[in-house]
Amino acid sequence: MSTDKHTDDVARGMATAAAAEPHAHERHPSDERPMPIFGGTEAAGYRTQWDAIQTGFVDEPRRAVEEADALVALVIKRLSAVFADERGALEHQWGRGDEISTEDLRVALRKYRSFFERLLSL
């Protein structure tokens, strides 16, 4: 299945916008509320692209399904990258060696709990 140039352009734009938005590991540790998986700009971009795909179904149903498949694959890939980045940041935070304080470990566990809840809420 192939994606058209528009799909690739939108994907690059959303990835650039997402890089500029804060990630969950950058939040204050006392903020226990789960953060959305994707920032507002990135999520809006995916929704806009989905709307265009759905609208295009009337004229080109096969192409619309191919584009839907590509968009879902893109979102899954991005989702995987977001969680891998967050896990890496958490692991780096507590894996600094024997000199880490109990308070640092408590904060790390709270972040893991928030991360875990986000995973289960999918």
Side-chain angles (χ1 to χ4, degrees), residues 83-93:
F83 280 118
D85 289 348
E86 287 189 31
R87 183 180 172 271
L90 286 169
E91 187 175 51
H92 176 75
Q93 186 177 32

Side-chain angles (χ1 to χ4, degrees), residues 27-105:
R27 292 181 293 146
H28 190 275
S30 66
D31 189 359
E32 293 292 322
R33 294 169 289 151
M35 294 293 293
I37 302 301
F38 301 115
T41 304
E42 187 175 13
Y46 290 139
R47 286 186 181 95
T48 298
Q49 193 170 356
W50 180 263
D51 290 344
I53 291 168
Q54 194 166 328
T55 301
F57 181 83
V58 173
D59 295 326
E60 296 184 60
R62 182 177 193 86
R63 181 176 175 165
V65 171
E66 289 172 351
E67 290 176 354
D69 179 69
L71 180 59
V72 168
L74 174 71
V75 171
I76 289 171
K77 183 176 181 179
R78 180 72 180 114
L79 178 67
S80 177
V82 166
F83 280 118
D85 289 348
E86 287 189 31
R87 183 180 172 271
L90 286 169
E91 187 175 51
H92 176 75
Q93 186 177 32
W94 66 264
R96 297 183 298 216
D98 294 336
E99 298 179 21
I100 191 164
S101 72
T102 302
E103 177 62 15
D104 289 337
L105 291 170

